[in-house]
Amino acid sequence: NYPGGLRSYLSNSRLLLREAQQGLNPFEGALPEKPEGVDCTAFDARYDQLEARGMGQFERTGIVMVAGGLGERLGFGGIKIDIPVESLEQTSYLAHYASVILAMEARMQQPRKMPFIIMVSADTQVATKQALEEHHFFGLDPAQVHILRQELVPALTDNQAHLALEEPYELLMKPHGHGDIHMLLHQSGLARQLCEEGIEHLVFIQDTNGQVFNAIPAALGVACEEA
């Protein structure tokens, strides 16, 4: 699926690795500018106003989670969304996210099912579906959960872009990167479908960031005011 195939993948990899090794700056000549933003660090009346504005957008919002990686670097043997988000009840990240989506649905002015898009990889697809099915989608409607699979690419061992091997003659494959989600939303037709269904906002979350939903209402409020 990589444009130009394996030869192009390796050629581009060598170029990028060489530029990084030489300290070349792809943005040479460009001047960084701090964009104008909205300060939400003060939990004051203004913050409450933004939160209320954001809550009014829940029925026009979808949640997109990138979950293509395993928990090996964290010392966990399974998929990262199965890691407990807290130690008392051992609630998994996936269960936690589902519960928050249900809470957001309960606060909608015009109740509807909030789309929940999960990007998986060949490493996580089976285990993710198994976790959802074994727990009856954690209370979510299966129809609101959309699973998109990203492709794996060969891992590299060094700056010369030599291919890493799992076993002799067997390539070590890894997820391509979180940026694949935008391509998958487009190619699958899901982005167009959600737009036609009235979805105006997509909130992108990591697979292991349990606190992110605390800020989403205010962030949606900012998005509405700055649109």
Side-chain angles (χ1 to χ4, degrees), residues 94-110:
L94 184 55
H96 171 65
Y97 293 150
S99 69
V100 176
I101 289 173
L102 291 171
M104 294 172 78
E105 290 177 352
R107 288 162 174 78
M108 290 181 180
Q109 298 174 358
Q110 299 177 348

Side-chain angles (χ1 to χ4, degrees), residues 1-6 8-10 12-13 16 66-70 73 119-124 148-156 172-184 187:
N1 292 314
Y2 191 89
L6 185 59
S8 179
Y9 170 72
L10 293 175
N12 289 339
S13 296
L16 294 171
V66 289
L70 299 171
R73 286 183 297 176
M119 184 181 76
V120 299
S121 69
D123 288 336
T124 64
L148 301 176
R149 195 184 93 168
Q150 68 177 149
E151 294 300 325
L152 300 177
V153 294
L156 307 174
L172 176 62
M173 307 291 286
K174 292 293 182 181
H176 189 218
H178 287 167
D180 281 355
I181 184 58
H182 305 287
M183 176 186 69
L184 292 173
Q187 289 183 344

Side-chain angles (χ1 to χ4, degrees), residues 13-95:
S13 296
R14 292 189 187 102
L15 174 62
L16 294 171
L17 289 166
R18 184 167 60 251
E19 289 180 348
Q21 197 173 24
Q22 295 173 355
L24 299 180
N25 182 5
F27 301 105
E28 187 69 37
L31 295 177
E33 294 183 6
K34 183 179 179 180
E36 294 184 8
V38 177
D39 187 354
C40 293
T41 57
F43 297 108
D44 52 13
R46 172 63 173 152
Y47 186 89
D48 294 339
Q49 178 186 0
L50 290 171
E51 264 200 334
R53 180 77 182 271
M55 287 177 61
Q57 292 295 309
F58 282 175
E59 60 262 36
R60 290 176 285 277
T61 299
I63 305 297
V64 182
M65 178 175 64
V66 289
L70 299 171
E72 51 195 9
R73 286 183 297 176
L74 302 174
F76 187 74
I79 55 177
K80 286 197 283 186
I81 52 176
D82 265 348
I83 296 175
V85 71
E86 46 78 32
S87 58
L88 185 61
E89 297 290 341
Q90 294 288 296
T91 304
S92 70
Y93 276 95
L94 184 55

Side-chain angles (χ1 to χ4, degrees), residues 134-152:
E134 286 183 354
H135 294 89
H136 307 287
F137 285 76
F138 301 95
L140 299 174
D141 184 342
Q144 76 187 101
V145 181
H146 307 269
I147 296 180
L148 301 176
R149 195 184 93 168
Q150 68 177 149
E151 294 300 325
L152 300 177

